[in-house]
Amino acid sequence: HMSFSLSQFEADYLIKLLKRCVDFAMFLPLQGESEEYKVTDVASNSEDFIVLINRRNKFNNKCSFVLRYKKANKILLRLDVGCTSKHTNPDNTIIEGPHIHRYREGFDEKFALAIDFNSESLEDDLRYFLNESNIEEPQKIGTQLKLES
């Protein structure tokens, strides 16, 4: 799996690019699971991204939303919400509460910034993340339903 270097200019450009989800709906995974969605740029359909919604952890309200650029295999943005979201940056500043990681050349996604965002639900978090990522909201946003066996 090749990993390319990505300049700050390229990363910022890719984040700003207007994107859309290939599927008409995005569903939040159940606790303990994760879900991946293909995303492409609206203008040319030539740039490929993956959105990962990750709830594979033991805390019910913890979730990560990740925007990855496939060609360079780099994370451009990651929104972390939930109970244990405390992060130490490479310069030793500590970020508490929900925070967003944004690609920084030479550090990948290791730096995080606190966000001033009051969320009522994971759907709210997803909408915030899509907005930060410049991804058009799909026709439907929902929560996976647990099928009783």
Side-chain angles (χ1 to χ4, degrees):
H1 212 80
M2 278 293 291
S3 185
F4 294 88
S5 65
L6 196 61
S7 74
Q8 193 63 52
F9 178 84
E10 289 170 301
D12 292 344
Y13 166 79
L14 290 164
I15 292 169
K16 281 197 196 89
L17 207 56
L18 184 62
K19 296 174 282 293
R20 65 177 181 84
C21 187
V22 173
D23 300 310
F24 84 98
M26 289 179 106
F27 292 99
L28 291 153
L30 293 168
Q31 170 59 39
E33 294 176 10
S34 65
E35 216 44 80
E36 270 195 5
Y37 292 95
K38 280 196 178 104
V39 169
T40 185
D41 67 303
V42 169
S44 71
N45 274 343
S46 65
E47 296 291 6
D48 290 326
F49 304 86
I50 295 285
V51 164
L52 167 70
I53 307 171
N54 188 2
R55 296 185 70 195
R56 294 174 72 98
N57 54 69
K58 58 186 183 290
F59 301 106
N60 190 38
N61 57 350
K62 189 173 186 209
C63 188
S64 286
F65 302 84
V66 179
L67 173 66
R68 186 159 53 86
Y69 180 49
K70 274 181 81 173
K71 200 182 291 176
N73 193 28
K74 295 283 189 192
I75 291 173
L76 297 175
L77 287 175
R78 186 177 95 222
L79 172 65
D80 290 334
V81 299
C83 58
T84 56
S85 39
K86 183 187 248 196
H87 176 79
T88 305
N89 280 330
D91 62 3
N92 289 325
T93 52
I94 292 174
I95 308 295
E96 296 201 49
H99 55 265
I100 195 158
H101 296 254
R102 180 181 278 266
Y103 181 87
R104 195 181 288 195
E105 194 176 353
F107 294 96
D108 290 351
E109 79 286 1
K110 292 185 179 75
F111 270 96
L113 292 166
I115 52 171
D116 187 22
F117 170 60
N118 285 320
S119 162
E120 298 295 310
S121 66
L122 286 176
E123 276 101 333
D124 279 358
D125 296 324
L126 175 56
R127 286 194 168 92
Y128 177 89
F129 173 77
L130 291 172
N131 189 49
E132 288 292 306
S133 302
N134 286 303
I135 298 169
E136 291 178 340
E137 199 172 300
Q139 291 169 34
K140 181 172 162 54
I141 285 178
T143 306
Q144 293 286 36
L145 299 173
K146 222 184 189 102
L147 296 173
E148 297 302 324
S149 49

